[in-house]
Amino acid sequence: MKNIVVLISGNGSNLQAIIDACRANKITGNVVAVLSNKANAYGLERAKLADIPAYFVDPTLYNDRADYDKALIEKIDAYQPDIVVLAGFMRILSPDFVTHYQHKLLNIHPSLLPKYPGLHTHRQVLANKDSFHGVTVHFVTEELDGGPMIIQARIPVLPDDTEQSLQTRIQAEEYRIYPLAIGWLADERLKMQNNQAFLDDIALFDNLD
């Protein structure tokens, strides 16, 4: 069973989907700790309700991002993680952090990457009158939302869609594909090589470099 550590900043609904998937034996692993950079993140309460150690790591106690990330690493490594999952963790990570967890650090982003890295993806989709929207799970590299893509889900943009309706429908896809990707990594079927993701030794996406 793989040890999974999850980093959150908010509600933790993806965290809940991951916890549920572990307990349904859809992931060969367990969430062993949850960390947040926000004291009031409801995801910390979700962790406690599931008897998972939960920590608020206060950014104001550290001089800069590098010092904060060193503290995160120390806290995470105490749980000997096999997989580190970003689930709505709203901080840009330092290169040292990314390098430390290279090949086992995953993120989910609400767009069809490489379109719309960063924030407000639903708003951008509506503003640009896109026909489709989606969500991407990817390995984390130093490039913001730019690591090797693992899996995407796509939904049509409906005529009456709003940011809220898109978010709701995208989240339903997130809860489906994020546990799936984590399960692949836990089963050692998923690997990152030469800045590309491979599942069962087959490249998942064309290398975009």
Side-chain angles (χ1 to χ4, degrees), residues 63-99:
N63 292 325
D64 53 29
R65 191 193 335 161
D67 282 352
Y68 182 78
D69 284 4
K70 284 177 188 172
L72 276 185
I73 288 170
E74 186 175 333
K75 191 72 93 172
I76 293 167
D77 282 357
Y79 289 91
Q80 300 180 305
D82 300 292
I83 302 170
V84 179
V85 175
L86 308 179
F89 188 63
M90 303 301 288
R91 281 182 65 91
I92 295 174
L93 295 163
S94 65
D96 285 349
F97 186 98
V98 172
T99 300

Short mmCIF file of all heavy atoms in Angstrom, two decimals, residues 63-99:
data_model
loop_
_atom_site.label_atom_id
_atom_site.label_comp_id
_atom_site.label_asym_id
_atom_site.label_seq_id
_atom_site.Cartn_x
_atom_site.Cartn_y
_atom_site.Cartn_z
N ASN A 63 10.17 33.18 6.21
CA ASN A 63 10.69 34.38 5.54
C ASN A 63 10.30 34.45 4.08
O ASN A 63 10.06 35.52 3.54
CB ASN A 63 12.22 34.42 5.66
CG ASN A 63 12.67 34.65 7.08
OD1 ASN A 63 12.03 35.37 7.82
ND2 ASN A 63 13.77 34.01 7.47
N ASP A 64 10.28 33.31 3.41
CA ASP A 64 10.03 33.30 1.97
C ASP A 64 9.50 31.93 1.55
O ASP A 64 9.35 31.02 2.38
CB ASP A 64 11.30 33.67 1.18
CG ASP A 64 12.50 32.81 1.56
OD1 ASP A 64 12.30 31.64 1.96
OD2 ASP A 64 13.64 33.30 1.44
N ARG A 65 9.23 31.82 0.26
CA ARG A 65 8.67 30.58 -0.26
C ARG A 65 9.61 29.40 -0.05
O ARG A 65 9.18 28.29 0.28
CB ARG A 65 8.37 30.74 -1.75
CG ARG A 65 7.53 29.60 -2.29
CD ARG A 65 7.44 29.50 -3.80
NE ARG A 65 7.63 30.72 -4.54
CZ ARG A 65 7.93 30.74 -5.83
NH1 ARG A 65 8.09 29.61 -6.49
NH2 ARG A 65 8.08 31.86 -6.47
N ALA A 66 10.90 29.62 -0.22
CA ALA A 66 11.87 28.53 -0.07
C ALA A 66 11.86 27.98 1.35
O ALA A 66 11.85 26.76 1.57
CB ALA A 66 13.27 29.01 -0.44
N ASP A 67 11.84 28.89 2.36
CA ASP A 67 11.81 28.44 3.75
C ASP A 67 10.50 27.71 4.07
O ASP A 67 10.49 26.70 4.79
CB ASP A 67 11.96 29.64 4.70
CG ASP A 67 13.40 30.10 4.82
OD1 ASP A 67 14.29 29.41 4.29
OD2 ASP A 67 13.63 31.18 5.42
N TYR A 68 9.41 28.23 3.53
CA TYR A 68 8.11 27.57 3.76
C TYR A 68 8.11 26.17 3.16
O TYR A 68 7.68 25.20 3.80
CB TYR A 68 6.99 28.40 3.14
CG TYR A 68 5.61 27.82 3.36
CD1 TYR A 68 4.95 27.98 4.58
CD2 TYR A 68 4.97 27.10 2.36
CE1 TYR A 68 3.69 27.44 4.79
CE2 TYR A 68 3.71 26.56 2.57
CZ TYR A 68 3.08 26.74 3.79
OH TYR A 68 1.83 26.20 4.00
N ASP A 69 8.62 26.06 1.95
CA ASP A 69 8.62 24.76 1.29
C ASP A 69 9.54 23.76 2.00
O ASP A 69 9.27 22.56 2.02
CB ASP A 69 9.01 24.91 -0.18
CG ASP A 69 7.87 25.46 -1.02
OD1 ASP A 69 6.82 25.79 -0.44
OD2 ASP A 69 8.03 25.57 -2.25
N LYS A 70 10.63 24.25 2.60
CA LYS A 70 11.49 23.36 3.41
C LYS A 70 10.70 22.80 4.59
O LYS A 70 10.83 21.62 4.94
CB LYS A 70 12.71 24.13 3.92
CG LYS A 70 13.78 24.36 2.87
CD LYS A 70 14.93 25.18 3.45
CE LYS A 70 15.92 25.58 2.36
NZ LYS A 70 16.94 26.54 2.88
N ALA A 71 9.90 23.66 5.21
CA ALA A 71 9.07 23.20 6.33
C ALA A 71 8.03 22.18 5.85
O ALA A 71 7.77 21.17 6.54
CB ALA A 71 8.38 24.39 6.98
N LEU A 72 7.44 22.42 4.69
CA LEU A 72 6.49 21.45 4.12
C LEU A 72 7.17 20.12 3.87
O LEU A 72 6.62 19.06 4.21
CB LEU A 72 5.94 21.98 2.79
CG LEU A 72 4.75 22.94 2.80
CD1 LEU A 72 4.32 23.21 1.36
CD2 LEU A 72 3.58 22.39 3.60
N ILE A 73 8.34 20.16 3.26
CA ILE A 73 9.07 18.93 2.96
C ILE A 73 9.33 18.12 4.23
O ILE A 73 9.12 16.90 4.27
CB ILE A 73 10.39 19.24 2.22
CG1 ILE A 73 10.12 19.70 0.79
CG2 ILE A 73 11.33 18.03 2.22
CD1 ILE A 73 11.33 20.26 0.07
N GLU A 74 9.75 18.82 5.28
CA GLU A 74 10.04 18.14 6.55
C GLU A 74 8.79 17.46 7.10
O GLU A 74 8.84 16.31 7.55
CB GLU A 74 10.57 19.16 7.55
CG GLU A 74 11.05 18.55 8.86
CD GLU A 74 11.68 19.58 9.78
OE1 GLU A 74 12.20 20.60 9.30
OE2 GLU A 74 11.63 19.35 11.01
N LYS A 75 7.67 18.17 7.03
CA LYS A 75 6.41 17.62 7.53
C LYS A 75 5.94 16.45 6.66
O LYS A 75 5.50 15.41 7.18
CB LYS A 75 5.35 18.73 7.55
CG LYS A 75 4.09 18.37 8.29
CD LYS A 75 4.28 18.32 9.78
CE LYS A 75 3.94 19.62 10.44
NZ LYS A 75 3.97 19.48 11.93
N ILE A 76 6.03 16.61 5.36
CA ILE A 76 5.60 15.55 4.43
C ILE A 76 6.47 14.32 4.57
O ILE A 76 5.98 13.18 4.64
CB ILE A 76 5.63 16.07 2.97
CG1 ILE A 76 4.57 17.16 2.76
CG2 ILE A 76 5.41 14.92 1.98
CD1 ILE A 76 4.74 17.94 1.47
N ASP A 77 7.79 14.51 4.62
CA ASP A 77 8.70 13.37 4.63
C ASP A 77 8.59 12.53 5.89
O ASP A 77 8.98 11.35 5.89
CB ASP A 77 10.15 13.85 4.44
CG ASP A 77 10.46 14.19 2.99
OD1 ASP A 77 9.57 13.99 2.13
OD2 ASP A 77 11.59 14.65 2.72
N ALA A 78 8.04 13.10 6.95
CA ALA A 78 7.80 12.32 8.16
C ALA A 78 6.85 11.16 7.90
O ALA A 78 6.85 10.17 8.64
CB ALA A 78 7.24 13.22 9.26
N TYR A 79 6.06 11.27 6.83
CA TYR A 79 5.09 10.22 6.48
C TYR A 79 5.58 9.32 5.35
O TYR A 79 4.81 8.50 4.84
CB TYR A 79 3.74 10.86 6.13
CG TYR A 79 3.07 11.42 7.36
CD1 TYR A 79 3.28 12.74 7.75
CD2 TYR A 79 2.27 10.62 8.17
CE1 TYR A 79 2.69 13.25 8.91
CE2 TYR A 79 1.68 11.11 9.32
CZ TYR A 79 1.90 12.42 9.68
OH TYR A 79 1.33 12.92 10.82
N GLN A 80 6.85 9.45 4.96
CA GLN A 80 7.45 8.60 3.93
C GLN A 80 6.53 8.43 2.72
O GLN A 80 6.14 7.32 2.37
CB GLN A 80 7.81 7.23 4.53
CG GLN A 80 8.81 7.33 5.69
CD GLN A 80 9.14 5.98 6.28
OE1 GLN A 80 8.25 5.22 6.69
NE2 GLN A 80 10.42 5.66 6.31
N PRO A 81 6.23 9.53 2.06
CA PRO A 81 5.23 9.46 0.98
C PRO A 81 5.76 8.78 -0.28
O PRO A 81 6.91 8.98 -0.68
CB PRO A 81 4.94 10.94 0.69
CG PRO A 81 6.23 11.63 1.01
CD PRO A 81 6.79 10.90 2.21
N ASP A 82 4.89 7.98 -0.88
CA ASP A 82 5.17 7.44 -2.21
C ASP A 82 4.59 8.35 -3.29
O ASP A 82 5.07 8.37 -4.42
CB ASP A 82 4.55 6.04 -2.34
CG ASP A 82 5.10 5.08 -1.31
OD1 ASP A 82 6.30 4.74 -1.42
OD2 ASP A 82 4.35 4.68 -0.41
N ILE A 83 3.53 9.08 -2.93
CA ILE A 83 2.83 9.97 -3.85
C ILE A 83 2.46 11.24 -3.09
O ILE A 83 1.98 11.17 -1.96
CB ILE A 83 1.56 9.31 -4.41
CG1 ILE A 83 1.89 8.00 -5.13
CG2 ILE A 83 0.81 10.25 -5.36
CD1 ILE A 83 0.67 7.16 -5.49
N VAL A 84 2.71 12.39 -3.71
CA VAL A 84 2.28 13.68 -3.14
C VAL A 84 1.30 14.31 -4.12
O VAL A 84 1.61 14.48 -5.31
CB VAL A 84 3.48 14.61 -2.88
CG1 VAL A 84 3.01 15.95 -2.32
CG2 VAL A 84 4.47 13.95 -1.91
N VAL A 85 0.12 14.65 -3.62
CA VAL A 85 -0.98 15.09 -4.47
C VAL A 85 -1.34 16.54 -4.13
O VAL A 85 -1.59 16.86 -2.96
CB VAL A 85 -2.21 14.18 -4.26
CG1 VAL A 85 -3.41 14.71 -5.04
CG2 VAL A 85 -1.90 12.75 -4.67
N LEU A 86 -1.38 17.39 -5.14
CA LEU A 86 -1.87 18.75 -4.98
C LEU A 86 -3.36 18.75 -5.34
O LEU A 86 -3.72 18.44 -6.47
CB LEU A 86 -1.10 19.73 -5.88
CG LEU A 86 0.43 19.68 -5.77
CD1 LEU A 86 1.05 20.69 -6.73
CD2 LEU A 86 0.88 19.94 -4.34
N ALA A 87 -4.19 19.08 -4.38
CA ALA A 87 -5.64 19.06 -4.60
C ALA A 87 -6.20 20.43 -4.22
O ALA A 87 -6.71 20.63 -3.12
CB ALA A 87 -6.28 17.94 -3.78
N GLY A 88 -6.05 21.38 -5.14
CA GLY A 88 -6.47 22.74 -4.84
C GLY A 88 -5.51 23.44 -3.92
O GLY A 88 -5.93 24.25 -3.09
N PHE A 89 -4.22 23.15 -4.02
CA PHE A 89 -3.21 23.81 -3.21
C PHE A 89 -2.78 25.08 -3.93
O PHE A 89 -2.13 25.02 -4.98
CB PHE A 89 -2.02 22.87 -2.99
CG PHE A 89 -1.01 23.40 -1.99
CD1 PHE A 89 -1.35 23.62 -0.67
CD2 PHE A 89 0.30 23.66 -2.39
CE1 PHE A 89 -0.42 24.07 0.25
CE2 PHE A 89 1.24 24.12 -1.48
CZ PHE A 89 0.87 24.33 -0.15
N MET A 90 -3.16 26.22 -3.38
CA MET A 90 -3.05 27.49 -4.10
C MET A 90 -1.76 28.23 -3.76
O MET A 90 -1.77 29.37 -3.33
CB MET A 90 -4.28 28.36 -3.82
CG MET A 90 -5.59 27.70 -4.17
SD MET A 90 -5.69 27.23 -5.92
CE MET A 90 -5.86 28.83 -6.66
N ARG A 91 -0.66 27.55 -3.95
CA ARG A 91 0.65 28.18 -3.81
C ARG A 91 1.54 27.70 -4.96
O ARG A 91 1.48 26.53 -5.35
CB ARG A 91 1.32 27.81 -2.49
CG ARG A 91 0.82 28.57 -1.28
CD ARG A 91 1.59 28.17 -0.04
NE ARG A 91 3.00 28.54 -0.11
CZ ARG A 91 3.50 29.69 0.33
NH1 ARG A 91 2.69 30.60 0.87
NH2 ARG A 91 4.78 29.95 0.26
N ILE A 92 2.39 28.58 -5.44
CA ILE A 92 3.41 28.18 -6.42
C ILE A 92 4.56 27.58 -5.64
O ILE A 92 5.08 28.18 -4.70
CB ILE A 92 3.86 29.38 -7.27
CG1 ILE A 92 2.69 29.89 -8.12
CG2 ILE A 92 5.04 28.99 -8.16
CD1 ILE A 92 2.99 31.15 -8.89
N LEU A 93 4.96 26.38 -6.02
CA LEU A 93 5.97 25.65 -5.28
C LEU A 93 7.37 26.01 -5.78
O LEU A 93 7.58 26.27 -6.96
CB LEU A 93 5.74 24.15 -5.43
CG LEU A 93 4.42 23.66 -4.81
CD1 LEU A 93 4.06 22.30 -5.34
CD2 LEU A 93 4.53 23.64 -3.29
N SER A 94 8.32 25.97 -4.86
CA SER A 94 9.71 26.29 -5.20
C SER A 94 10.32 25.17 -6.04
O SER A 94 9.90 24.00 -5.96
CB SER A 94 10.53 26.49 -3.93
OG SER A 94 10.60 25.27 -3.21
N PRO A 95 11.34 25.50 -6.84
CA PRO A 95 12.04 24.45 -7.61
C PRO A 95 12.57 23.33 -6.73
O PRO A 95 12.52 22.16 -7.12
CB PRO A 95 13.18 25.22 -8.29
CG PRO A 95 12.67 26.62 -8.42
CD PRO A 95 11.84 26.85 -7.19
N ASP A 96 13.06 23.66 -5.53
CA ASP A 96 13.59 22.62 -4.64
C ASP A 96 12.49 21.64 -4.23
O ASP A 96 12.73 20.43 -4.15
CB ASP A 96 14.20 23.25 -3.38
CG ASP A 96 15.55 23.90 -3.64
OD1 ASP A 96 16.11 23.68 -4.75
OD2 ASP A 96 16.04 24.63 -2.77
N PHE A 97 11.29 22.15 -3.96
CA PHE A 97 10.18 21.28 -3.59
C PHE A 97 9.83 20.36 -4.75
O PHE A 97 9.69 19.14 -4.58
CB PHE A 97 8.96 22.12 -3.20
CG PHE A 97 7.81 21.31 -2.67
CD1 PHE A 97 7.62 21.19 -1.31
CD2 PHE A 97 6.93 20.67 -3.52
CE1 PHE A 97 6.55 20.43 -0.80
CE2 PHE A 97 5.87 19.92 -3.04
CZ PHE A 97 5.69 19.80 -1.66
N VAL A 98 9.70 20.92 -5.93
CA VAL A 98 9.33 20.14 -7.11
C VAL A 98 10.39 19.06 -7.40
O VAL A 98 10.05 17.90 -7.65
CB VAL A 98 9.15 21.06 -8.33
CG1 VAL A 98 8.95 20.24 -9.61
CG2 VAL A 98 7.96 22.00 -8.12
N THR A 99 11.65 19.43 -7.30
CA THR A 99 12.72 18.47 -7.56
C THR A 99 12.71 17.35 -6.52
O THR A 99 12.92 16.18 -6.85
CB THR A 99 14.09 19.19 -7.54
OG1 THR A 99 14.10 20.18 -8.56
CG2 THR A 99 15.23 18.21 -7.77
#
